[in-house]
Amino acid sequence: MFELKTEYLFDTRFIAVPSSEYMMVGKGGWGTRCIVPIQGGTVEGPKIKATAKSFGADWVLIRPDNAFEVDVRLVLETDDGALIHMYYDGIAEIPEEQIADALEGKWPSVIRGNNTPRFETGHKNYLWLNKLKAVATGEARLVGDHLEVCYSVYALR
């Protein structure tokens, strides 16, 4: 049997815009789509420290089975000036009693989920990220009127 091995990479803390500012596209063929811009945040781990540029978003899909599909693209800027494209998709879930509010464009108080980040950069100090497949687990919590998205990210080895 093969054993799944991981290596801790970093923790995230991304801040999403207030629910009053994200775009509710509405119900389509695959579910209800909303686009949630990322306002910023941080990434910090043993080999990387970066901030999230205000240049990204999550294309959330609330499926008919009430699961949340996340589809996030954002840009990180490391403390030594490298730019890194980070993409992740995954599945999240919210408490059943908060589904109706979510479909009306109101933040749930907590969203727990898992995702699979990928990275792209041309900076020599971070080329190792281009060769990784990673997994992450965490949650998003309502803090005031913003959503704070916190994940722990691990490389698959």
Side-chain angles (χ1 to χ4, degrees):
M1 296 297 292
F2 293 101
E3 184 180 339
L4 180 65
K5 295 181 182 179
T6 61
E7 175 189 351
Y8 170 73
L9 291 177
F10 56 79
D11 288 325
T12 70
R13 184 181 163 271
F14 300 134
I15 306 299
V17 301
S19 59
S20 61
E21 295 178 27
Y22 69 76
M23 294 172 268
M24 191 62 131
V25 176
K27 191 170 183 174
W30 294 282
T32 302
R33 174 79 61 191
C34 59
I35 302 169
V36 183
I38 306 294
Q39 286 188 319
T42 59
V43 162
E44 191 162 347
K47 297 194 270 185
I48 186 170
K49 184 174 182 180
T51 57
K53 306 290 274 180
S54 298
F55 189 78
D58 185 351
W59 280 258
V60 177
L61 181 68
I62 305 170
R63 301 186 324 201
D65 65 356
N66 294 332
F68 272 42
E69 282 188 20
V70 297
D71 177 3
V72 177
R73 290 177 187 267
L74 53 91
V75 177
L76 304 174
E77 183 173 11
T78 64
D79 58 350
D80 58 352
L83 293 178
I84 300 167
H85 172 251
M86 180 180 180
Y87 159 77
Y88 62 88
D89 64 346
I91 300 290
E93 57 184 326
I94 64 171
E96 190 70 32
E97 65 274 7
Q98 294 182 14
I99 293 291
D101 283 346
L103 290 169
E104 292 179 16
K106 298 175 189 163
W107 285 129
S109 60
V110 65
I111 303 169
R112 291 188 176 87
N114 304 299
N115 61 60
T116 53
R118 298 278 316 254
F119 308 94
E120 183 180 0
T121 186
H123 193 282
K124 63 181 172 130
N125 293 348
Y126 300 95
L127 292 175
W128 55 273
L129 284 169
N130 294 333
K131 299 175 185 174
L132 295 182
K133 186 61 177 179
V135 293
T137 188
E139 65 184 21
R141 288 199 169 272
L142 193 59
V143 178
D145 64 348
H146 292 74
L147 205 60
E148 186 174 276
V149 182
C150 299
Y151 285 104
S152 291
V153 180
Y154 300 84
L156 293 175
R157 297 293 184 198

